[in-house]
Every structure is written in C-alpha cells, then in structure tokens.
Amino acid sequence: MLLSVSAFAVFLTQPGLTQYFRRHFLDTTFKGLYHANGFDLALLIPYFIVLIFLASYGIHRYTLVYLYYKKKHNVTPTPQPFTDLPRVTIQLPIFNEQYVVDRLLQSVCRIEYPREKLDIQLLDDSTDETADVARELVEHYAAQGYPVHYLHRTNRSGYKAGALQEGLKTAKGEFVAIFDADFTPPPDFLVRIIDHFTDPKIGMVQTRWTHINRNYSFLTEVEAILLDGHFVLEHSGRARASTRGTCPRAHDAERGTSIGVSAP
C-alpha cells in the first residue's frame, strides 16, 4: 500500500503534471464566468450524440473482430449430402431493368443442377419496355429446354415481396433461391449450398456478395470495402459466435443471394 502511494506521489511530481492538474481541476479563478446558453446546447447536444454513436459503432466493430478471431475454430462443418437432390425454385424479381435481365438469365441458366429438378421464375413487375425484352428472353431460353417461366403483374401490390409471394403460388420447389436483377450467381452455387439443408435446424442460408466492378472507380472500391466488412467480418463473426442461430457461415458467390425452405 505504501509503495503504491509513493508511486502516485512520484507521478504527480513529474514536470508539468502537477501544474496541469491544478490548472484544470483546482484553479477556481474563472469559475462562474461562463454559463451555457441555448445556442451552445444546440451545438453541443448533437455533437455528443454523434460522438456517442460513432464510439458505440467502433466498439461494436472491435467486438466483432474479437469474436471473428477468438471463434475462428468454429468453422462451418461439411454438410451431409442429399441422397436425392430436392427440387429448387429460383425466383428472379425485376422491375424496369432491361439492361441486366439478359445477363441474369444467362447466369441462372448456367447453374449446374438437374433441369428436371429446377424451376426458374422471372417475376416481372416492369412498366416499360423491359416486359417485352424479358418475355422474349424467357421464350428464347425455354425453347432451349431450360425450365424458365415468365410471370408479369400489372398491379405492384407489395412490390418485390408481393412479386415473390405471387410466384410462390405456382412454385414447384421444396426450396427457393432468390436473385436480384444485378446478381450473377456462379454455376456451382446450388450444389455448394443445398446440402446444408440436410441439417433440420437450417431454415435459410445467406451467401456473401463479391463484386463485378470493384476496381471500376474509387466509389466502387469504397462500396466493396463496406460490403466486405458487412459480409466477411460481421456475418462470419456472429456466425462463429453462434449469435445468429444455426445459419452456417456465408459462402463466397459472385453477387450472392439467399436460399431457404419454401412456404407451404
């Protein structure tokens, strides 16, 4: 005890420390000269709110980094494969996106999965010439034997969620995979994901995104960094710490998506 008190006394006697302490905590020369007014509070309150928010966000990110490395041994186990592959419905909701719909259908039709167990729905809510383009593309791929169907709504009730709900009414798959219009899934997407559902506790698998145009500009590089932090760090850290249920760690996929059990 005597040693700690002596050490504290030595610390205070260091050049400048005692003077700093007296000036800021003991000196009452200017006490009472300043009184906060409404203008000061209008500046200080938002400032400290933003400061607290940024500090909390920083603590949150550091916590995820800690969990990411602490739980790195909690990797996703290799799932047991299906003895008989289930039927899968792929839903492609679009709205006035004629310039990417061809790339989307090309990518989906290249997916390596038995065609007799695949059901592709192009769910189109478009109000412009995208509808004609999409219909022609569906007819083109259907003529080549791909199990693709075109569904168009004139009433956008529920928007994208409403289109997906409408598609489920005629969906044939036990599982549903959803790709937005700007996604380009790799050919092995389904075969890498589907076996996770042999575990009865798994209801949905969400995959990470990668980037087609990461090096296009400074803006795309910044967006890629932010998305990488979200999918690689946040999702993996939470999954490894078992704080997001039993959903396995996200797999790499070119513009990934999610796949889950179909509603009855």
Side-chain angles (χ1 to χ4, degrees):
M1 180 63 181
L2 181 61
L3 180 62
S4 61
V5 172
S6 301
F8 181 70
V10 172
F11 175 78
L12 288 180
T13 57
Q14 294 299 315
L17 291 178
T18 303
Q19 182 180 5
Y20 177 87
F21 182 79
R22 288 176 178 174
R23 178 181 299 174
H24 290 81
F25 298 100
L26 301 179
D27 190 351
T28 60
T29 303
F30 300 102
K31 184 176 181 180
L33 291 180
Y34 169 76
H35 298 281
N37 54 40
F39 178 77
D40 295 338
L41 294 177
L43 292 178
L44 291 174
I45 291 176
Y47 172 78
F48 280 104
I49 289 176
V50 172
L51 197 64
I52 292 171
F53 172 79
L54 292 176
S56 302
Y57 181 78
I59 293 173
H60 172 260
R61 304 308 285 185
Y62 279 118
T63 302
L64 288 175
V65 172
Y66 171 74
L67 292 174
Y68 182 88
Y69 286 104
K70 180 182 179 181
K71 305 289 185 177
K72 61 183 178 181
H73 59 280
N74 290 345
V75 297
T76 303
T78 302
Q80 293 293 328
F82 277 102
T83 55
D84 183 27
L85 286 175
R87 192 178 185 93
V88 176
T89 293
I90 298 178
Q91 293 189 320
L92 312 174
I94 64 172
F95 175 68
N96 294 350
E97 294 166 296
Q98 71 173 104
Y99 299 108
V100 295
V101 64
D102 187 14
R103 185 183 67 187
L104 172 65
L105 281 173
Q106 275 188 8
S107 300
V108 171
C109 288
R110 290 173 182 167
I111 288 180
E112 299 165 352
Y113 206 78
R115 290 189 184 181
E116 67 275 9
K117 295 190 175 182
L118 202 58
D119 176 30
I120 304 172
Q121 296 180 334
L122 186 62
L123 308 174
D124 187 13
D125 281 0
S126 299
T127 56
D128 62 0
E129 58 271 19
T130 302
D132 296 329
V133 174
R135 188 178 290 105
E136 291 178 3
L137 288 170
V138 168
E139 292 174 355
H140 169 74
Y141 286 105
Q144 298 182 35
Y146 294 101
V148 55
H149 308 281
Y150 180 75
L151 289 85
H152 183 262
R153 295 194 311 164
T154 56
N155 176 17
R156 295 196 65 218
S157 175
Y159 301 100
K160 182 186 293 187
L164 297 173
Q165 180 70 23
E166 190 69 22
L168 285 178
K169 295 179 180 179
T170 57
K172 302 176 183 178
E174 301 172 54
F175 298 90
V176 176
I178 303 170
F179 298 96
D180 277 344
D182 56 343
F183 285 4
T184 56
D188 63 346
F189 176 84
L190 282 183
V191 295
R192 293 174 62 189
I193 299 299
I194 195 65
D195 286 337
H196 285 289
F197 293 99
T198 55
D199 184 345
K201 296 181 180 179
I202 300 298
M204 187 187 77
V205 175
Q206 182 178 7
T207 65
R208 64 166 291 194
W209 292 6
T210 54
H211 318 281
I212 298 174
N213 61 341
R214 183 188 192 103
N215 299 319
Y216 181 77
S217 68
F218 176 75
L219 178 61
T220 58
E221 289 182 0
V222 171
E223 291 178 339
I225 290 172
L226 293 175
L227 283 173
D228 284 345
H230 177 67
F231 283 100
V232 179
L233 175 62
E234 184 169 344
H235 282 207
S236 297
R238 290 181 175 180
R240 289 179 181 182
S242 299
T243 58
R244 298 196 67 184
T246 56
C247 183
R249 183 178 65 83
H251 289 264
D252 294 344
E254 187 74 16
R255 299 293 290 174
T257 185
S258 59
I259 177 171
V261 181
S262 172

